[in-house]
């Protein structure tokens, strides 16, 4: 029995997220179907975390265990010829004993992308969100630090989410601003130990509302201390979010 770790990139546009569901096509479903063709049996594939419907991944990490003589590094090419064009296994390697892509993860980094322009750019719309209208983009950098550290992010997750605790630690929030010919690209990178459902998308929406003058800094600090959902911004569309990196404390790939 060997454990194989996979580094996977996918465009989440056409999928109902990572996890297998009854009424939606998912990334996990496609990967497991391809793997079953290779191994002749159904093998479960576990990911570092469940990306939501429409969310992308540049470096999702997952693993499976199987009794096989196929070298781990051969699985990437074997899977890719059986996968649709919007999913690709970038690397496949032998994982160390006891490795679990979900439980072994130390940090995850997500990037939320938006672009500010007077008119929509169809070449950017698949992986970022158009924001029409003005905003003080320097205020995005200013407020980023408010989300760092250990906080109760109750106000930043979807109501009704079933979790043991809404307390999470965010290690860093960085804002990258790039001036383009016809507008400005903004990337909000959030690194943390784990995230609640819709948490990063709601942080991005709250930062945007602050930059647009809809929310004050006091509102945001209060939302973190009191868990008041009325003091946060909107949950931004899924297409702007990408899982960028999963850190295990060692070089897996």
């Amino acid at each position: 029995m060997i454990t194989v770790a996979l580094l996977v990139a996918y465009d989440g546009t056409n999928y109902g997220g990572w996890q297998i569901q009854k009424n939606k096509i998912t990334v996990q479903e496609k990967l497991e179907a391809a793997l079953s063709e290779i191994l002749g049996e159904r093998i479960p594939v576990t990911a570092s975390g469940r990306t939501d419907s429409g969310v992308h991944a540049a470096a999702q990490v997952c693993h499976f265990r199987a009794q096989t003589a196929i070298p781990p590094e051969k699985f990437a090419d074997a899977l890719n010829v059986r996968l649709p064009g919007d999913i690709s296994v970038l690397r496949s390697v032998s994982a160390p004993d006891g490795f679990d892509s979900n439980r072994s993860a130390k940090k995850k980094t997500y990037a939320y992308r938006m672009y500010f322009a007077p008119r929509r750019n169809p070449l950017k719309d698949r992986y970022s969100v158009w924001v029409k209208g003005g905003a003080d983009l320097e205020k995005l950098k200013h407020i980023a630090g408010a989300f760092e550290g250990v906080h109760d992010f109750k106000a930043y997750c979807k109501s009704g989410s079933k979790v043991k605790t809404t307390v999470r630690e965010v290690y860093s929030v960085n804002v990258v601003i790039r001036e383009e010919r016809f507008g400005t690209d903004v990337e909000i990178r959030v690194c943390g130990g784990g995230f609640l459902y819709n948490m990063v998308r709601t942080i991005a929406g709250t930062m945007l509302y602050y930059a647009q003058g809809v929310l004050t800094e006091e509102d945001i600090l209060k939302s973190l201390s009191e868990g008041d959902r009325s003091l946060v911004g909107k949950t931004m569309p899924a297409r702007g979010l990408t899982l960028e990196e999963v850190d295990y404390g060692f070089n897996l790939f």
Side-chain angles (χ1 to χ4, degrees), residues 57-71:
Q60 172 70 281
V61 179
C62 47
H63 79 277
F64 66 88
R65 294 185 175 88
Q67 192 73 45
T68 178
I70 300 174

Side-chain angles (χ1 to χ4, degrees), residues 155-156 216-228 231:
Y156 291 81
T216 66
E217 185 170 352
E218 183 182 2
D219 289 333
I220 294 172
L221 295 177
K222 207 170 181 180
S223 74
L224 292 168
S225 63
E226 299 182 6
D228 189 343
L231 298 176

Side-chain angles (χ1 to χ4, degrees), residues 33-75:
L35 190 59
S36 69
E37 287 186 32
I38 298 169
L39 297 176
E41 60 177 319
R42 197 78 182 185
I43 301 291
V45 178
T46 301
S48 68
R50 306 170 185 173
T51 51
D52 299 335
S53 178
V55 173
H56 316 293
Q60 172 70 281
V61 179
C62 47
H63 79 277
F64 66 88
R65 294 185 175 88
Q67 192 73 45
T68 178
I70 300 174
E73 64 273 13
K74 298 294 185 181
F75 276 97

